[in-house]
Amino acid sequence: MARIVMKFGGTSVADLDRIHNVARHVKREVDAGHDVAVVVSAMSGKTNELVGWVKGMPKATGANSPFFDAREYDAIVASGEQITSGLLAIALQSMGVHARSWQGWQIPIRTDNAHGAARIEEIDGSFLIKRFGEGQVAVVAGFQGLSPDNRISTLGRGGSDTSAVAIAAAVKADRCDIYTDVDGVYTTDPRIEPKARRLSKISFEEMLEMASLGAKVLQVRSVELAMVHGVRTFVRSSFEDPDAPGMCDAINPPGTLICNEDEIVEQQVVTGIAYAKDEAQISLRRLADRPGVSAGIFGPLADAGINVDMIVQNISEDGSRTDMTFTVPSADVGRALAVLETVRDTVGFDAVQHDDGMSKVSVIGIGMRSHAGVAATAFKALAEKAINIRAITTSEIKISILIDGPYTELAVRTLHSVYGLDKH
Ligand code: ASP
Ligand code: MG
């Protein structure tokens, strides 16, 4: 007998038929004798609709904030999950499964005060463990929690993945099954490269890079949590027949297990290729080369909430002036340039240049730690396709390359093939 947290995303609970299908997946695990807790998202499109309603409201008189009262935003957008948790509990009851819905505040899932993008601070697992003892399937509304001032909070878009992993950690589950509309994590985006393969296993670290760099299967925060708490997380499809043979087994059904690297026996050097489009490059020319310059640039950008990604600074020839290049999301270029103007005199640079429509393509694999020449292979392959490299950054397990946007697909396919990831 195992303890399993099952999470179902928006497309898996999109209508009553699908909710019924989800109930069959849950019943299968219950019948196998497992302790089961379920986490649900809102029906697909519901959260967008709720957010749209909030945005359609007039702002409070005198309010100069660009946004709405975040506490009311949370009270409204958290409601989608309340509906699906209740509907799934009813569907389970109709199949003779002892089930009950629970909202974030009832457990409670305690978060910080950052309404709209709250972080989970504490979940006392004993509430759900007691439900296991009673033979009850707790159906928990994902995405929501309870803030320190006793109000409903939400965890940011896609946050129900994080709810599920945090609950799995709190009840020390053997596994967190994330049911979604794809059957796992692929070596790259199959829409760009049809030869992409499903990975049977991927390490936490690699998955964190894949998710941060554009693979949209899981909320990044959920992968961080899974890594910190060692929650074995299995990404699988809710559209498989719930009663097909082997579906109760953690490894047999199609899917990808995100786990510790020592659980992965056949480690490849490169595991996947990720990409992010719509990056912009900003270069500061002839920048003073002295202590405090980087802080003077990136501090104000951070204060403005602009997410800076790759940063490349050259070593100056004579110790007086240098160049600095970094990337930001294309949508933030205008704001970034405005911030840079305000620091031009204090920081001291001659010119700012910028270019939109860049893409970042990344090669990821923990095998890189112990293999030389991985980067050189990428550069050579891109050169053969006449793809120009604008900037490069690396970490122990990743090489990221900035290129012109129109070459994204070609670069992804080229790298996928050169590292032997194509399916045969
Ligand atoms: N319903 C929320 C959203 O659409 C949370 C989630 O689905 O994970 O962002
Ligand atoms: Mg999601």
Side-chain angles (χ1 to χ4, degrees):
M1 196 190 83
R3 181 170 285 176
I4 300 170
V5 173
M6 305 172 76
K7 183 260 169 177
F8 296 91
T11 49
S12 303
V13 294
D15 56 36
L16 297 185
D17 280 346
R18 290 194 183 166
I19 290 175
H20 206 79
N21 187 59
V22 161
R24 290 173 58 209
H25 281 288
V26 175
K27 184 174 188 317
R28 177 193 67 230
E29 303 293 337
V30 172
D31 289 348
H34 301 315
D35 282 346
V36 176
V38 182
V39 175
V40 286
S41 295
M43 293 163 127
S44 66
K46 193 73 204 170
T47 310
N48 287 345
E49 181 185 41
L50 296 167
V51 170
W53 287 348
V54 176
K55 289 189 172 157
M57 292 297 285
K59 278 185 231 152
T61 347
N64 55 4
S65 135
F67 203 54
F68 299 86
D69 187 301
R71 288 154 297 189
E72 301 310 336
Y73 168 93
D74 277 354
I76 295 158
V77 303
S79 65
E81 274 72 9
Q82 176 159 345
I83 296 169
T84 37
S85 62
L87 289 172
L88 180 57
I90 291 174
L92 285 165
Q93 288 167 3
S94 77
M95 296 176 177
V97 176
H98 177 35
R100 183 61 65 204
S101 69
W102 299 99
Q103 306 310 298
W105 61 268
Q106 291 172 302
I107 307 270
I109 295 172
R110 294 199 183 276
T111 71
D112 64 13
N113 228 335
H115 283 278
R119 285 169 80 95
I120 296 177
E121 291 196 322
E122 194 199 321
I123 304 177
D124 177 359
S126 63
F127 178 93
L128 289 169
I129 290 170
K130 199 150 162 237
R131 305 282 93 75
F132 295 142
E134 295 163 355
Q136 182 196 107
V137 173
V139 184
V140 181
F143 183 50
Q144 37 162 285
L146 184 66
S147 77
D149 50 4
N150 244 14
R151 298 204 57 91
I152 294 173
S153 55
T154 64
L155 309 179
R157 299 306 305 273
S160 53
D161 294 330
T162 301
S163 309
V165 171
I167 287 172
V171 302
K172 303 202 165 29
D174 297 285
R175 215 170 73 225
C176 182
D177 281 0
I178 305 273
Y179 287 81
T180 177
D181 50 6
V182 291
D183 61 1
V185 179
Y186 279 69
T187 47
T188 195
D189 185 344
R191 286 168 305 180
I192 286 195
E193 176 48 274
K195 292 190 204 123
R197 283 184 290 116
R198 188 181 61 235
L199 295 158
S200 60
K201 292 182 180 174
I202 185 171
S203 71
F204 292 121
E205 266 189 284
E206 290 167 322
M207 189 61 213
L208 190 55
E209 296 285 4
M210 293 281 272
S212 319
L213 295 168
K216 302 217 163 42
V217 205
L218 289 173
Q219 198 195 35
V220 175
R221 178 85 189 112
S222 71
V223 185
E224 281 168 14
L225 266 187
M227 180 158 98
V228 169
H229 297 283
V231 177
R232 297 169 78 246
T233 303
F234 190 54
V235 178
R236 57 192 294 186
S237 165
S238 66
F239 299 126
E240 301 282 330
D241 174 6
D243 300 312
M247 288 292 280
C248 261
D249 192 315
I251 298 302
N252 273 333
T256 303
L257 183 69
I258 308 167
C259 57
N260 252 319
E261 60 186 89
D262 43 11
E263 233 189 281
I264 304 174
V265 184
E266 266 182 69
Q267 188 65 57
Q268 307 290 317
V269 177
V270 169
T271 302
I273 312 293
Y275 67 93
K277 287 185 173 176
D278 298 319
E279 303 266 315
Q281 159 197 335
I282 298 181
S283 298
L284 302 177
R285 300 295 177 199
R286 291 171 299 281
L287 187 69
D289 188 12
R290 56 172 162 74
V293 163
S294 296
I297 296 166
F298 298 112
L301 287 170
D303 293 342
I306 295 168
N307 203 354
V308 174
D309 184 17
M310 302 170 98
I311 301 177
V312 187
Q313 187 198 275
N314 210 340
I315 293 174
S316 67
E317 195 177 358
D318 59 0
S320 74
R321 302 260 146 190
T322 181
D323 286 345
M324 173 100 77
T325 292
F326 55 92
T327 62
V328 298
S330 285
D332 288 340
V333 182
R335 288 198 306 128
L337 294 176
V339 170
L340 291 171
E341 271 322 304
T342 65
V343 301
R344 184 193 276 263
D345 291 340
T346 44
V347 171
F349 50 85
D350 267 8
V352 189
Q353 291 166 338
H354 66 95
D355 225 329
D356 287 15
M358 305 280 121
S359 284
K360 183 177 65 172
V361 178
S362 304
V363 178
I364 296 153
I366 47 178
M368 262 181 231
R369 283 193 203 123
S370 49
H371 279 80
V374 180
T377 302
F379 304 151
K380 183 159 174 274
L382 295 177
E384 278 164 9
K385 300 285 180 194
I387 299 173
N388 190 35
I389 298 175
R390 295 218 174 210
I392 303 162
T393 59
T394 64
S395 79
E396 248 196 326
I397 67 159
K398 169 196 80 174
I399 305 154
S400 290
I401 299 169
L402 192 69
I403 58 169
D404 291 340
Y407 292 98
T408 315
E409 283 78 8
L410 179 62
V412 167
R413 286 195 287 260
T414 301
L415 295 172
H416 195 266
S417 141
V418 78
Y419 291 111
L421 297 174
D422 287 358
K423 90 175 150 217
H424 303 293

